């Protein structure tokens, strides 16, 4: 850890110092925003500080970043985070240190900084947040053994966990083009759905629309095709974390996924949160990896390291909230569906990244890898409705008297994520939310 994690450090941006702020000066997550002014509305890199966004292009043009490597200054002027992601820790770390110095209240130059940075601060409420990177590839894993076991139990009660699970991190290649940023509507998908009466499948709107509570992580510097990433080098290839909702149509999934796995049941939409929290900001919240019980096999050597066993976990609390259209109309607060923690993942983010590249597959800056549904050991930490309602059987009651087995049109799902540790300032990942909208009529096509 370093002075940017100092719990005493406060910002002259007052909202950053409020207890419960997701974005204190110890966080400094990156995103891409668009300002409302027509003269300056091109996509711009920004850093969240309290309820404000610091415009990185503005800072670099104003000469406030000249102490940094030239490549880092240039990357701050880009329209996506990909160039910065490609540069690695040698550039990320000095940039974070410089931004922390510019924003801290007790810096000797603070009055000057405040004056110089003033024109480059924008209230978050006025900005539109865009996709933070060009995401060339998206991969979704299945790293929670609790999720894998709960789901397995629904469909194979006699044999819930398949024998490969404890050896190989399971994943599939997802769809990058349909990744949305928090706040965008999610249209209920149409697809082939099997009836229960043995009739042939029909093409209709999904009736089993679900969310999956996940964490995504962005690849920083990639690896060359044919070259792997050693487990102890994995951290150098990870830029940061976001919340991720892997929307899933369970009825479409049940029929189409044999034998090749997820396809149209997942590819219609994936929502990510607006800000990427860097691995450096998460440093105080690292802990040991999942403690495998003695009867479990140890990871194969290429997925095993002393450091990853000791500090590969992340202590990140994850919550899911639902608010229906009727709850909004009647002023009802959202209900919490679950609360869990990323520390319960069976595989660490380093193991997932190393495994992905282990066959020589080249990862690229801006590629997105996701954890899989991050369920924990307790009933209250189940990360999707498939698990919570046991495939729609045990419905959840809402304060309006409504019931939910799966999601209805108008339902809003919001994820929240935050890290806490005594002696440190709590940081947040912000929110990841989306409202379900009505499906198209079957047969409707783009002109
Ligand atoms: Mn998933």
């Amino acid at each position: 850890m370093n002075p940017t994690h100092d719990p005493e450090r406060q910002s002259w941006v007052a909202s950053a110092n409020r207890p419960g702020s997701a974005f204190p000066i110890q966080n400094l997550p990156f995103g891409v925003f668009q300002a409302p002014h027509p003269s300056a509305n091109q996509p711009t890199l920004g850093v969240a500080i309290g309820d404000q966004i610091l415009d990185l292009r503005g800072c670099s043009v104003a000469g406030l970043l000249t102490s940094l490597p030239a490549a880092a200054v240039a990357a701050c002027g880009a329209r996506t985070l990909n160039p910065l992601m490609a540069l690695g820790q040698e550039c990320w770390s000095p940039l974070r240190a410089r931004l922390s110095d510019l924003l801290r209240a007790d810096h000797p130059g603070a009055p000057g900084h405040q004056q110089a940075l003033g024109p480059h601060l924008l209230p978050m409420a006025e900005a539109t947040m865009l996709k933070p990177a060009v995401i060339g590839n998206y991969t979704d894993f299945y790293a929670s053994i609790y999720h894998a076991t709960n789901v397995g139990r629904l469909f194979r009660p006699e044999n819930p966990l398949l024998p490969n699970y404890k050896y190989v991190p399971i994943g599939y290649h997802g769809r990058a083009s349909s990744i949305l940023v928090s706040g965008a509507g999610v249209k209920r998908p149409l697809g082939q759905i099997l009836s229960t009466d043995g009739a042939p499948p029909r093409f209709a709107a999904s009736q089993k629309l679900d969310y999956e509570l996940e964490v995504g992580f962005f690849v920083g510097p990639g690896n060359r095709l044919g070259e792997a990433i050693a487990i102890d080098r994995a951290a150098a290839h990870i830029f940061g974390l976001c919340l991720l909702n892997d929307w899933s149509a369970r009825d479409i999934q049940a029929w189409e996924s044999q034998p090749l796995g997820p396809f149209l049941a997942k590819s219609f939409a994936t929502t990510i949160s607006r800000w990427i929290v860097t691995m450096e900001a998460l440093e105080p919240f690292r802990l040991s990896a999942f403690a495998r019980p003695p009867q479990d096999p140890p990871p194969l050597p290429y997925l095993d390291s002393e450091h990853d066993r000791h500090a590969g976990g992340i202590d990140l609390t994850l919550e899911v909230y639902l608010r229906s259209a009727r709850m909004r109309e009647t002023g009802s607060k959202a209900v919490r569906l679950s609360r869990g923690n990323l520390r319960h993942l069976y595989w660490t983010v380093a193991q997932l990244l190393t495994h992905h590249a282990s066959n020589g597959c080249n990862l690229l800056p801006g590629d997105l890898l996701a954890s899989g549904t991050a369920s924990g050991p307790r009933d209250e930490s189940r990360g999707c409705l498939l698990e919570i309602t046991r495939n729609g059987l045990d419905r959840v009651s809402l304060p309006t008297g409504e019931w939910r087995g799966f999601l209805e049109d108008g339902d809003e799902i919001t994820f929240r994520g935050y890290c806490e540790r005594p002696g440190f300032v709590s940081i947040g990942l912000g929110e990841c939310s989306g409202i379900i909208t009505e499906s198209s009529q079957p047969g409707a096509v783009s002109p």
Side-chain angles (χ1 to χ4, degrees):
M1 273 179 268
N2 58 51
T4 66
H5 302 102
D6 181 355
E8 301 299 323
R9 198 167 273 203
Q10 295 220 318
S11 176
W12 47 261
V13 177
S15 58
N17 309 322
R18 286 186 203 131
S21 167
F23 309 121
I25 194 169
Q26 288 78 8
N27 194 346
L28 304 179
F30 291 87
V32 173
F33 71 98
Q34 200 156 19
H37 329 295
S39 59
N41 64 355
Q42 56 181 319
T44 304
L45 264 54
V47 163
I49 179 79
D51 60 8
Q52 305 285 307
I53 299 173
L54 181 63
D55 171 345
L56 289 187
R57 183 185 295 131
C59 289
S60 97
V61 170
L64 292 161
L65 305 175
T66 45
S67 56
L68 299 173
V73 180
C76 286
R79 290 165 177 242
T80 69
L81 278 164
N82 300 68
L84 182 63
M85 289 168 162
L87 291 176
Q89 200 68 50
E90 305 81 55
C91 285
W92 304 336
S93 207
L95 174 58
R96 173 180 163 87
R98 175 64 180 156
L99 293 172
S100 183
D101 274 343
L102 286 170
L103 288 164
R104 62 188 255 232
D106 65 347
H107 191 279
H113 291 160
Q114 191 165 355
Q115 195 167 30
L117 265 65
H120 308 296
L121 280 171
L122 176 81
M124 266 181 203
E126 290 177 18
T128 304
M129 296 306 295
L130 308 177
K131 229 188 274 193
V134 176
I135 302 169
N137 298 276
Y138 160 50
T139 301
D140 195 21
F141 284 95
Y142 199 55
S144 160
I145 197 169
Y146 301 105
H147 173 68
T149 306
N150 290 342
V151 171
R153 195 174 283 132
L154 288 172
F155 302 109
R156 297 180 307 272
E158 71 299 336
N159 181 26
L161 197 68
L162 294 171
N164 59 356
Y165 191 86
K166 293 174 179 176
Y167 289 95
V168 58
I170 304 293
Y172 67 93
H173 284 109
R175 184 77 196 168
S177 64
S178 52
I179 293 171
L180 306 168
V181 175
S182 179
V186 174
K187 197 185 210 180
R188 179 178 300 274
L190 297 163
Q192 283 201 26
I193 295 165
L194 204 58
S195 320
T196 43
D197 56 8
R202 65 212 158 79
F203 187 74
S206 169
Q207 296 306 305
K208 289 192 171 181
L209 185 51
D210 199 358
Y211 63 84
E212 288 192 335
L213 169 64
E214 307 199 11
V215 163
F217 54 105
F218 281 90
V219 174
N223 58 307
R224 275 198 289 262
L225 182 65
E227 293 179 5
I229 296 172
I231 183 88
D232 275 331
R233 292 290 305 150
H237 292 267
I238 302 175
F239 180 72
L241 256 59
C242 65
L243 298 168
L244 183 145
N245 187 339
D246 176 25
W247 303 98
S248 300
R250 301 303 184 189
D251 38 11
I252 298 172
Q253 187 178 4
W255 171 237
E256 74 166 8
S257 63
Q258 312 298 334
L260 285 188
F263 182 37
L264 302 184
K266 304 271 194 178
S267 62
F268 59 95
T270 303
T271 304
I272 56 172
S273 54
R274 295 165 173 172
W275 297 100
I276 305 174
V277 173
T278 63
M279 300 312 286
E280 191 171 348
L282 291 164
E283 200 56 41
F285 310 102
R286 301 305 296 260
L287 41 67
S288 54
F290 183 91
R292 293 187 174 216
Q295 66 271 25
D296 281 13
L300 292 181
Y302 78 100
L303 293 175
D304 195 14
S305 90
E306 178 83 41
H307 179 263
D308 196 51
R309 255 178 277 148
H310 176 71
I314 303 171
D315 187 357
L316 168 62
T317 300
L318 296 165
E319 297 174 341
V320 178
Y321 294 84
L322 185 153
R323 201 173 186 211
S324 70
R326 201 181 303 169
M327 289 168 73
R328 284 194 299 281
E329 283 158 20
T330 56
S332 245
K333 277 193 349 187
V335 288
R336 198 179 75 216
L337 295 178
S338 72
R339 177 185 281 160
N341 193 297
L342 198 68
R343 68 196 296 173
H344 299 300
L345 288 188
Y346 195 79
W347 299 103
T348 65
V349 290
Q351 287 173 318
L352 298 179
L353 180 116
T354 291
H355 180 65
H356 202 318
S358 64
N359 65 345
C361 170
N362 49 331
L363 306 179
L364 302 171
D367 279 0
L368 180 62
L369 278 56
S371 61
T373 309
S375 297
R378 297 155 60 103
D379 279 357
E380 67 155 29
S381 57
R382 291 173 293 183
C384 61
L385 286 171
L386 177 68
E387 289 173 76
I388 293 173
T389 69
R390 294 192 309 124
N391 200 11
L393 290 176
D394 303 336
R395 294 184 303 160
V396 177
S397 74
L398 305 180
T400 42
E402 301 171 281
W403 294 84
R404 288 291 182 274
F406 288 99
L407 299 173
E408 300 287 339
D409 290 350
D411 284 357
E412 179 173 31
I413 290 291
T414 300
F415 298 165
R416 294 206 181 101
Y418 52 89
C419 298
E420 294 173 318
R421 182 179 158 191
F424 290 87
V425 175
S426 167
I427 64 171
L429 271 70
E431 291 188 353
C432 176
S433 73
I435 296 188
I436 307 301
T437 62
E438 207 180 327
S439 65
S440 311
Q441 291 302 310
V445 291
S446 291

